[in-house]
């Protein structure tokens, strides 16, 4: 398998949760200790972790920094962190507390000059452009607001300016276990074959991950399928360790 395998931890009130389609009222709590969950992923062979501060996304500033610090201090996982990164202080807080990369979406829509400044300052390897899409438009601020940005032109603007990492969540799929939006991801890769596209949303099984791998999608984030016991994490962790 060539596809990079990235388990996800979403955080509300310091707890590991999952939402459905980004709706906060659909919250299901899976663990009171995200750092312990991260250690389990590492023990299984995973090397990378996607962490989302859902409180931060909603509040428009980082909230669960202590959880990030616990995860990065207690594991050797490469952690990419997103949710609530709106200011220079937020992004510095994320990096100061162990994030290897940050995912930034809303600011790339509302303040492109700030995002480009961060891209220049920290480098393309440390920045992930978040492009979470609903009905073809990029959504912002914890998916609570729809922008007027069409997905492909939005991506072009930043790929042309050096962005290499793109996380794309098809919001209608997120947390539904209904299968990933493979057609959407193939369309993106056709337009921008040189990017590291991270697919997110809808993964329900190892078969879904294998389908993304066959489609040539470089990376995949998955969460709810883990916590609902739909994926053999020991087997998948061995695959991750070989990558």
């Amino acid at each position: 398998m060539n596809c990079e395998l990235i388990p996800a931890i979403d955080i509300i009130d310091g707890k590991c949760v999952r939402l459905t389609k980004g709706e906060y009222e659909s919250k299901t709590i899976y663990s009171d200790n995200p750092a312990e969950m991260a250690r389990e992923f590492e023990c299984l062979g995973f090397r990378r972790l996607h962490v989302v501060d859902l409180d931060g996304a909603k509040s428009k500033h980082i909230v669960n920094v202590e959880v990030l610090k616990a995860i990065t201090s207690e594991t050797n996982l490469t952690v990419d962190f997103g949710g609530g990164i709106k200011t220079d202080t937020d992004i510095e807080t994320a990096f100061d507390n162990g994030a290897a990369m940050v995912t930034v979406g809303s600011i790339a829509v509302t303040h492109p000059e700030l995002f480009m400044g961060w891209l220049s300052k920290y480098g393309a390897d440390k920045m992930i452009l978040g492009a979470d899409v609903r009905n073809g438009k990029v959504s912002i601020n914890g998916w609570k607001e729809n922008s007027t940005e069409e997905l492909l032109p939005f991506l072009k603007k930043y790929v042309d300016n050096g962005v290499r990492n793109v996380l794309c969540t098809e919001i209608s799929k997120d947390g539904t276990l209904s299968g990933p939006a493979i057609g959407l991801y193939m369309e993106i890769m056709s337009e921008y074959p040189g990017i590291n596209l991270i697919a997110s949303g809808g993964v329900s099984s190892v078969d879904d991950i294998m389908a993304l791998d066959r489609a040539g999608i470089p990376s995949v984030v998955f969460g709810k399928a883990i916590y609902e016991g739909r994926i053999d994490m020991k087997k998948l962790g061995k695959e991750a360790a070989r990558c």
Side-chain angles (χ1 to χ4, degrees):
M1 184 182 297
N2 296 313
C3 189
E4 184 178 25
L5 307 173
I6 310 172
I9 291 179
D10 292 357
I11 307 163
I12 291 179
D13 295 331
K15 298 177 174 63
C16 178
V17 308
R18 295 301 293 177
L19 308 182
T20 300
K21 300 181 182 180
E23 297 171 358
Y24 283 71
E25 59 271 19
S26 71
K27 176 182 69 177
T28 301
I29 298 172
Y30 289 100
S31 172
D32 291 335
N33 192 334
E36 181 180 353
M37 184 69 67
R39 289 196 299 273
E40 290 180 15
F41 291 149
E42 185 175 35
C43 287
L44 288 168
F46 293 94
R47 299 174 179 176
R48 173 92 175 264
L49 183 66
H50 177 63
V51 177
V52 182
D53 181 356
L54 290 173
D55 292 314
K58 191 174 184 179
S59 302
K60 302 183 182 181
H61 61 85
I62 291 179
V63 174
N64 287 288
V65 65
E66 291 303 319
V67 177
L68 170 63
K69 185 176 181 179
I71 290 171
T72 59
S73 63
E74 294 176 27
T75 75
N76 291 310
L77 292 165
T78 298
V79 176
D80 70 76
F81 179 83
I85 297 175
K86 307 292 187 185
T87 65
D88 290 334
T89 298
D90 288 322
I91 196 169
E92 288 167 8
T93 295
F95 286 134
D96 287 347
N97 285 278
M101 294 173 279
V102 293
T103 300
V104 180
S106 299
I107 285 298
V109 174
T110 60
H111 295 83
E113 72 290 343
L114 181 57
F115 179 83
M116 288 303 301
W118 292 343
L119 186 66
S120 176
K121 180 177 181 179
Y122 298 106
D125 289 342
K126 297 180 76 68
M127 301 293 296
I128 302 171
L129 175 64
D132 302 325
V133 63
R134 181 191 286 117
N135 298 323
K137 302 286 181 67
V138 178
S139 290
I140 60 175
N141 295 328
W143 302 349
K144 295 302 178 186
E145 302 173 35
N146 293 323
S147 76
T148 59
E149 294 275 3
E150 296 280 352
L151 177 61
L152 292 180
F154 173 74
L155 294 180
K156 178 175 172 53
K157 174 169 57 179
Y158 287 113
V159 171
D160 286 350
N161 281 282
V163 163
R164 293 200 293 269
N165 301 300
V166 174
L167 173 71
C168 183
T169 303
E170 169 50 75
I171 296 169
S172 69
K173 294 278 190 178
D174 190 68
T176 65
L177 300 172
S178 61
I182 294 177
L184 172 66
Y185 303 131
M186 291 180 68
E187 183 180 9
I188 294 170
M189 290 303 300
S190 176
E191 289 287 330
Y192 311 111
I195 67 171
N196 174 37
L197 177 63
I198 307 164
S200 172
V203 170
S204 66
S205 64
V206 173
D207 287 345
D208 285 337
I209 293 172
M210 294 296 290
L212 287 164
D213 186 52
R214 288 193 299 271
I217 310 306
S219 304
V220 57
V221 164
F222 48 96
K224 193 169 187 177
I226 299 170
Y227 307 115
E228 294 289 332
R230 301 280 193 106
I231 286 178
D232 183 339
M233 291 296 283
K234 287 184 179 180
K235 181 178 179 181
L236 212 56
K238 291 177 182 177
E239 289 286 348
R242 282 197 289 265
C243 293

mmCIF file of all heavy atoms in Angstrom, residues 32-53:
data_model
loop_
_atom_site.group_PDB
_atom_site.id
_atom_site.type_symbol
_atom_site.label_atom_id
_atom_site.label_comp_id
_atom_site.label_asym_id
_atom_site.label_seq_id
_atom_site.Cartn_x
_atom_site.Cartn_y
_atom_site.Cartn_z
ATOM 1 N N ASP A 32 -11.881 9.680 27.134
ATOM 2 C CA ASP A 32 -11.608 10.851 27.966
ATOM 3 C C ASP A 32 -10.132 11.224 27.934
ATOM 4 O O ASP A 32 -9.745 12.231 28.534
ATOM 5 C CB ASP A 32 -12.025 10.579 29.422
ATOM 6 C CG ASP A 32 -13.531 10.482 29.596
ATOM 7 O OD1 ASP A 32 -14.260 11.075 28.771
ATOM 8 O OD2 ASP A 32 -13.968 9.818 30.548
ATOM 9 N N ASN A 33 -9.315 10.416 27.248
ATOM 10 C CA ASN A 33 -7.870 10.619 27.284
ATOM 11 C C ASN A 33 -7.281 10.505 25.879
ATOM 12 O O ASN A 33 -6.803 9.439 25.473
ATOM 13 C CB ASN A 33 -7.225 9.591 28.221
ATOM 14 C CG ASN A 33 -5.775 9.912 28.525
ATOM 15 O OD1 ASN A 33 -5.084 10.566 27.740
ATOM 16 N ND2 ASN A 33 -5.295 9.458 29.667
ATOM 17 N N PRO A 34 -7.301 11.602 25.123
ATOM 18 C CA PRO A 34 -6.755 11.563 23.758
ATOM 19 C C PRO A 34 -5.285 11.160 23.687
ATOM 20 O O PRO A 34 -4.878 10.491 22.733
ATOM 21 C CB PRO A 34 -6.960 13.002 23.264
ATOM 22 C CG PRO A 34 -8.108 13.516 24.070
ATOM 23 C CD PRO A 34 -7.939 12.896 25.417
ATOM 24 N N ALA A 35 -4.494 11.548 24.687
ATOM 25 C CA ALA A 35 -3.073 11.192 24.669
ATOM 26 C C ALA A 35 -2.892 9.684 24.778
ATOM 27 O O ALA A 35 -2.021 9.096 24.120
ATOM 28 C CB ALA A 35 -2.336 11.897 25.803
ATOM 29 N N GLU A 36 -3.710 9.049 25.598
ATOM 30 C CA GLU A 36 -3.655 7.583 25.694
ATOM 31 C C GLU A 36 -4.037 6.938 24.364
ATOM 32 O O GLU A 36 -3.423 5.956 23.929
ATOM 33 C CB GLU A 36 -4.590 7.100 26.799
ATOM 34 C CG GLU A 36 -4.579 5.591 27.001
ATOM 35 C CD GLU A 36 -5.511 5.146 28.112
ATOM 36 O OE1 GLU A 36 -6.064 6.000 28.826
ATOM 37 O OE2 GLU A 36 -5.690 3.913 28.251
ATOM 38 N N MET A 37 -5.050 7.501 23.710
ATOM 39 C CA MET A 37 -5.451 7.005 22.396
ATOM 40 C C MET A 37 -4.297 7.152 21.402
ATOM 41 O O MET A 37 -4.022 6.236 20.614
ATOM 42 C CB MET A 37 -6.668 7.774 21.902
ATOM 43 C CG MET A 37 -7.243 7.298 20.585
ATOM 44 S SD MET A 37 -8.022 5.678 20.683
ATOM 45 C CE MET A 37 -9.423 6.056 21.752
ATOM 46 N N ALA A 38 -3.610 8.284 21.446
ATOM 47 C CA ALA A 38 -2.466 8.508 20.555
ATOM 48 C C ALA A 38 -1.365 7.490 20.821
ATOM 49 O O ALA A 38 -0.740 6.973 19.874
ATOM 50 C CB ALA A 38 -1.937 9.928 20.732
ATOM 51 N N ARG A 39 -1.114 7.178 22.081
ATOM 52 C CA ARG A 39 -0.095 6.173 22.417
ATOM 53 C C ARG A 39 -0.473 4.808 21.846
ATOM 54 O O ARG A 39 0.391 4.061 21.375
ATOM 55 C CB ARG A 39 0.088 6.082 23.929
ATOM 56 C CG ARG A 39 0.774 7.288 24.550
ATOM 57 C CD ARG A 39 1.266 6.995 25.951
ATOM 58 N NE ARG A 39 0.188 6.638 26.863
ATOM 59 C CZ ARG A 39 -0.531 7.512 27.559
ATOM 60 N NH1 ARG A 39 -0.281 8.809 27.443
ATOM 61 N NH2 ARG A 39 -1.476 7.108 28.383
ATOM 62 N N GLU A 40 -1.749 4.478 21.891
ATOM 63 C CA GLU A 40 -2.203 3.209 21.323
ATOM 64 C C GLU A 40 -1.942 3.166 19.821
ATOM 65 O O GLU A 40 -1.485 2.140 19.290
ATOM 66 C CB GLU A 40 -3.689 3.010 21.612
ATOM 67 C CG GLU A 40 -4.005 2.742 23.077
ATOM 68 C CD GLU A 40 -5.491 2.541 23.316
ATOM 69 O OE1 GLU A 40 -6.235 2.321 22.339
ATOM 70 O OE2 GLU A 40 -5.919 2.623 24.487
ATOM 71 N N PHE A 41 -2.225 4.268 19.134
ATOM 72 C CA PHE A 41 -1.958 4.321 17.696
ATOM 73 C C PHE A 41 -0.473 4.104 17.417
ATOM 74 O O PHE A 41 -0.096 3.368 16.500
ATOM 75 C CB PHE A 41 -2.404 5.655 17.111
ATOM 76 C CG PHE A 41 -3.898 5.860 17.073
ATOM 77 C CD1 PHE A 41 -4.439 7.135 17.202
ATOM 78 C CD2 PHE A 41 -4.764 4.796 16.899
ATOM 79 C CE1 PHE A 41 -5.811 7.336 17.157
ATOM 80 C CE2 PHE A 41 -6.144 4.988 16.857
ATOM 81 C CZ PHE A 41 -6.665 6.264 16.988
ATOM 82 N N GLU A 42 0.371 4.746 18.200
ATOM 83 C CA GLU A 42 1.810 4.608 18.002
ATOM 84 C C GLU A 42 2.250 3.168 18.241
ATOM 85 O O GLU A 42 3.054 2.620 17.468
ATOM 86 C CB GLU A 42 2.561 5.550 18.940
ATOM 87 C CG GLU A 42 4.068 5.545 18.717
ATOM 88 C CD GLU A 42 4.790 6.560 19.562
ATOM 89 O OE1 GLU A 42 4.368 6.796 20.723
ATOM 90 O OE2 GLU A 42 5.780 7.137 19.070
ATOM 91 N N CYS A 43 1.720 2.548 19.287
ATOM 92 C CA CYS A 43 2.082 1.156 19.586
ATOM 93 C C CYS A 43 1.669 0.208 18.462
ATOM 94 O O CYS A 43 2.323 -0.816 18.234
ATOM 95 C CB CYS A 43 1.442 0.719 20.907
ATOM 96 S SG CYS A 43 2.207 1.455 22.369
ATOM 97 N N LEU A 44 0.601 0.544 17.763
ATOM 98 C CA LEU A 44 0.126 -0.283 16.662
ATOM 99 C C LEU A 44 0.980 -0.138 15.402
ATOM 100 O O LEU A 44 0.854 -0.932 14.469
ATOM 101 C CB LEU A 44 -1.329 0.061 16.327
ATOM 102 C CG LEU A 44 -2.376 -0.407 17.343
ATOM 103 C CD1 LEU A 44 -3.728 0.249 17.057
ATOM 104 C CD2 LEU A 44 -2.508 -1.924 17.318
ATOM 105 N N GLY A 45 1.829 0.897 15.369
ATOM 106 C CA GLY A 45 2.718 1.070 14.223
ATOM 107 C C GLY A 45 2.483 2.326 13.408
ATOM 108 O O GLY A 45 3.218 2.585 12.450
ATOM 109 N N PHE A 46 1.475 3.112 13.784
ATOM 110 C CA PHE A 46 1.223 4.351 13.052
ATOM 111 C C PHE A 46 2.292 5.392 13.396
ATOM 112 O O PHE A 46 2.796 5.439 14.519
ATOM 113 C CB PHE A 46 -0.177 4.892 13.365
ATOM 114 C CG PHE A 46 -1.282 4.024 12.841
ATOM 115 C CD1 PHE A 46 -1.862 3.057 13.635
ATOM 116 C CD2 PHE A 46 -1.705 4.148 11.524
ATOM 117 C CE1 PHE A 46 -2.861 2.227 13.156
ATOM 118 C CE2 PHE A 46 -2.698 3.323 11.021
ATOM 119 C CZ PHE A 46 -3.278 2.357 11.840
ATOM 120 N N ARG A 47 2.607 6.227 12.419
ATOM 121 C CA ARG A 47 3.657 7.233 12.593
ATOM 122 C C ARG A 47 3.122 8.659 12.572
ATOM 123 O O ARG A 47 3.817 9.587 12.976
ATOM 124 C CB ARG A 47 4.696 7.076 11.489
ATOM 125 C CG ARG A 47 5.386 5.731 11.491
ATOM 126 C CD ARG A 47 6.299 5.585 10.288
ATOM 127 N NE ARG A 47 6.994 4.307 10.283
ATOM 128 C CZ ARG A 47 7.789 3.907 9.303
ATOM 129 N NH1 ARG A 47 7.971 4.694 8.245
ATOM 130 N NH2 ARG A 47 8.397 2.734 9.364
ATOM 131 N N ARG A 48 1.914 8.809 12.089
ATOM 132 C CA ARG A 48 1.343 10.139 11.850
ATOM 133 C C ARG A 48 -0.015 10.223 12.541
ATOM 134 O O ARG A 48 -0.738 9.229 12.643
ATOM 135 C CB ARG A 48 1.199 10.326 10.339
ATOM 136 C CG ARG A 48 0.485 11.577 9.866
ATOM 137 C CD ARG A 48 1.427 12.733 9.611
ATOM 138 N NE ARG A 48 0.670 13.842 9.053
ATOM 139 C CZ ARG A 48 0.560 14.097 7.755
ATOM 140 N NH1 ARG A 48 1.194 13.336 6.880
ATOM 141 N NH2 ARG A 48 -0.155 15.120 7.324
ATOM 142 N N LEU A 49 -0.391 11.425 12.981
ATOM 143 C CA LEU A 49 -1.673 11.637 13.643
ATOM 144 C C LEU A 49 -2.239 12.983 13.231
ATOM 145 O O LEU A 49 -1.521 13.987 13.180
ATOM 146 C CB LEU A 49 -1.491 11.599 15.160
ATOM 147 C CG LEU A 49 -2.750 11.732 16.019
ATOM 148 C CD1 LEU A 49 -3.675 10.525 15.838
ATOM 149 C CD2 LEU A 49 -2.373 11.875 17.499
ATOM 150 N N HIS A 50 -3.535 12.990 12.941
ATOM 151 C CA HIS A 50 -4.257 14.210 12.600
ATOM 152 C C HIS A 50 -5.106 14.608 13.803
ATOM 153 O O HIS A 50 -5.976 13.845 14.223
ATOM 154 C CB HIS A 50 -5.130 13.948 11.373
ATOM 155 C CG HIS A 50 -5.983 15.096 10.948
ATOM 156 N ND1 HIS A 50 -5.459 16.298 10.517
ATOM 157 C CD2 HIS A 50 -7.340 15.234 10.879
ATOM 158 C CE1 HIS A 50 -6.450 17.118 10.192
ATOM 159 N NE2 HIS A 50 -7.596 16.497 10.410
ATOM 160 N N VAL A 51 -4.833 15.774 14.363
ATOM 161 C CA VAL A 51 -5.529 16.239 15.563
ATOM 162 C C VAL A 51 -6.301 17.516 15.231
ATOM 163 O O VAL A 51 -5.738 18.458 14.661
ATOM 164 C CB VAL A 51 -4.541 16.512 16.719
ATOM 165 C CG1 VAL A 51 -5.277 17.063 17.940
ATOM 166 C CG2 VAL A 51 -3.780 15.237 17.087
ATOM 167 N N VAL A 52 -7.585 17.518 15.584
ATOM 168 C CA VAL A 52 -8.438 18.680 15.316
ATOM 169 C C VAL A 52 -9.029 19.197 16.624
ATOM 170 O O VAL A 52 -9.697 18.455 17.345
ATOM 171 C CB VAL A 52 -9.580 18.331 14.340
ATOM 172 C CG1 VAL A 52 -10.420 19.574 14.052
ATOM 173 C CG2 VAL A 52 -9.029 17.762 13.044
ATOM 174 N N ASP A 53 -8.785 20.455 16.904
ATOM 175 C CA ASP A 53 -9.361 21.135 18.054
ATOM 176 C C ASP A 53 -10.728 21.694 17.633
ATOM 177 O O ASP A 53 -10.820 22.797 17.104
ATOM 178 C CB ASP A 53 -8.418 22.255 18.494
ATOM 179 C CG ASP A 53 -8.904 23.018 19.716
ATOM 180 O OD1 ASP A 53 -10.021 22.732 20.199
ATOM 181 O OD2 ASP A 53 -8.163 23.907 20.169
#
